[in-house]
């Protein structure tokens, strides 16, 4: 007679990257974080996270950026799985496999995406059935961007970026991302931003009505005109070569361009898919950046591809 108990099937989750359309940064708080007013958009550049029961906790990484991702306890996906395991009395260790396509330390939340993906995957594997809002609360313990990668779409972020409110965005926006070699450290970019600003008084950041109007209209030209990132000057100070990348992309026909998050990836907004293909080809041919990706947004946040149980 065979046993009725079967090992749960592995669960695979797809999780997108993000770009900040607006990243307004206030003065540092007591805890060292900076208050933000940001608008996130999830874009269709994905990592895949697979989790399955194992005798011990582990993480392995494949894909073009695998060599830059730690597979020890500092891996954010592993931390996410362990954290959620604390909420699940019957959860045992899992083996996590990451197929990495989002650039590492590029300002597109690659590490945060893997944490979000691991949360959604373990929730399905362990049949926890947590609501998105509950997962977002756990996600906030792992990093400021992690709740947004669970939520996806287009959203406003406040607090240190973890408090989300949905934003009405019409249509699809097309992006070209110029990857720029070695990553930038997020704390170093925030510290450089503080240094450049000095100790003068600084207003608390607030969302710009023009950005909301551009998103509501679905007009890429209007959105291009309002893209803004307070960390851009700091990223350029640490990586002076990025100014040339931005200038090249704009010269080659992008509607607008901006440092993505804390950089060094530069995000270019283009009119449509064809314009994106043209810009990607021209940027690559110009030799100004080592690698280019295209994606559109908004897209869904972390979601199960296969392996979820239906009950
Ligand atoms: O929240 P997360 O772990 O992703 O943040 C990484 C680092 O980025 C923080 O340690 C902090 O130095 C900086 N940061 C910040 N203000 C924010 C978000 C991040 O200073 N709102």
């Amino acid at each position: 007679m065979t046993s009725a108990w079967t090992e749960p099937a592995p669960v695979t989750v797809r999780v997108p990257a993000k770009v900040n359309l607006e990243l307004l940064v206030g003065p540092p708080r007591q805890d060292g974080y900076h208050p933000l007013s940001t608008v996130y958009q999830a874009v269709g550049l994905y990592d895949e996270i697979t989790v399955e029961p194992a005798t011990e906790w582990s993480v392995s990484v494949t894909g073009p950026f695998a060599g830059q991702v730690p597979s020890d306890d500092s891996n954010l996906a592993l931390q996410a799985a362990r954290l959620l395991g604390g909420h699940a009395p019957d959860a045992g260790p899992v083996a996590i496999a990451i197929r990495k396509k989002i650039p590492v330390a590029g300002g597109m939340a690659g590490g945060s995406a893997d944490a979000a993906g691991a949360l959604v995957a373990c929730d399905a594997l362990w049949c926890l059935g947590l609501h998105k809002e509950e997962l977002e609360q756990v996600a906030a313990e792992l990093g400021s961007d992690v709740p947004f990668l669970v939520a996806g779409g287009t959203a406003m972020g406040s607090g240190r970026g973890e408090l989300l409110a949905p934003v009405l965005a019409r249509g699809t926006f097309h992006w070209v991302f110029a990857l720029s070699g070695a990553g930038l450290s997020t704390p170093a970019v925030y510290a450089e931003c503080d240094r450049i600003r000095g100790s003068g008084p600084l207003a608390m950041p607030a969302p710009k009505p023009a950005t909301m109007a551009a998103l509501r209209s679905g007009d890429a030209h209007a959105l291009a005109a309002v893209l803004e990132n307070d960390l851009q000057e700091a990223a350029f100070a640490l990586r002076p070569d990025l100014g040339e990348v931005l200038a090249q992309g704009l010269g080659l026909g992008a509607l607008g361009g901006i440092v993505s998050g804390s950089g060094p990836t530069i995000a270019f907004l283009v009119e449509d898919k064809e314009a994106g293909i043209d810009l990607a080809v021209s940027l690559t041919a110009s030799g100004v950046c080592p690698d280019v990706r295209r994606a559109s947004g908004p897209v869904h946040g972390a979601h199960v591809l296969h392996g979820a149980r239906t009950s």
Side-chain angles (χ1 to χ4, degrees):
M1 218 173 97
T2 55
S3 158
W5 187 84
T6 52
E7 185 91 332
V11 175
T12 298
V13 162
R14 205 153 85 134
V15 59
K18 61 88 182 160
V19 58
N20 300 78
L21 313 177
E22 178 170 300
L23 180 49
L24 308 178
V25 179
R29 310 190 310 202
Q30 290 285 337
D31 63 2
Y33 281 93
H34 295 71
L36 302 183
S37 176
T38 192
V39 180
Y40 297 105
Q41 181 158 93
V43 295
L45 201 63
Y46 298 99
D47 282 354
E48 279 178 21
I49 317 294
T50 300
V51 296
E52 60 184 318
T55 49
E56 56 186 41
W57 298 93
S58 71
V59 61
S60 61
V61 191
T62 54
F65 306 105
Q68 300 165 49
V69 182
S71 52
D72 59 12
D73 285 350
S74 67
N75 183 285
L76 210 52
L78 192 55
Q79 291 178 16
R82 282 188 156 133
L83 181 63
L84 194 66
H87 294 248
D90 298 330
V94 294
I96 305 172
I98 301 175
R99 269 189 70 205
K100 186 113 208 88
K101 291 195 183 158
I102 305 174
V104 175
M108 301 188 73
S112 301
D114 296 345
L119 288 179
V120 171
C122 288
D123 175 66
L125 184 76
W126 296 328
C127 298
L128 302 181
L130 294 180
H131 293 293
K132 226 175 190 184
E133 293 72 23
E134 292 172 305
L135 283 173
E136 286 171 23
Q137 270 175 21
V138 180
E141 294 181 43
L142 294 154
S144 311
D145 292 338
V146 184
F148 175 68
L149 278 313
V150 173
T154 305
M156 231 157 58
S158 59
R160 60 185 168 87
E162 87 285 20
L163 305 174
L164 301 176
V167 166
L168 177 66
R170 204 162 269 136
T172 296
F173 295 96
H174 298 271
W175 298 93
V176 175
F177 298 99
L179 315 188
S180 285
L184 274 174
S185 141
T186 302
V189 176
Y190 274 100
E192 180 65 13
C193 177
D194 291 340
R195 193 193 65 73
I196 292 170
R197 286 170 160 182
S199 55
L202 201 58
M204 290 300 279
K208 289 187 306 189
T211 306
M212 298 303 138
L215 284 165
R216 268 198 312 275
S217 74
D219 178 353
H221 291 263
L223 186 61
V226 294
L227 295 173
E228 185 172 353
N229 182 354
D230 280 350
L231 294 178
Q232 182 154 309
E233 194 183 345
F236 281 6
L238 296 174
R239 284 283 304 274
D241 57 308
L242 297 181
E244 169 67 9
V245 181
L246 181 59
Q248 277 277 354
L250 294 175
L252 290 168
L255 300 178
I258 193 170
V259 166
S260 181
S262 57
T265 302
I266 307 270
F268 293 107
L269 187 58
V270 292
E271 177 93 48
D272 52 25
K273 191 174 171 186
E274 285 66 36
I277 295 170
D278 286 348
L279 179 61
V281 170
S282 310
L283 268 175
T284 306
S286 76
V288 74
C289 58
D291 216 346
V292 175
R293 295 283 188 281
R294 286 186 301 114
S296 57
V299 297
H300 290 299
H303 54 281
V304 174
L305 275 187
H306 46 81
R309 295 180 225 183
T310 45
S311 60

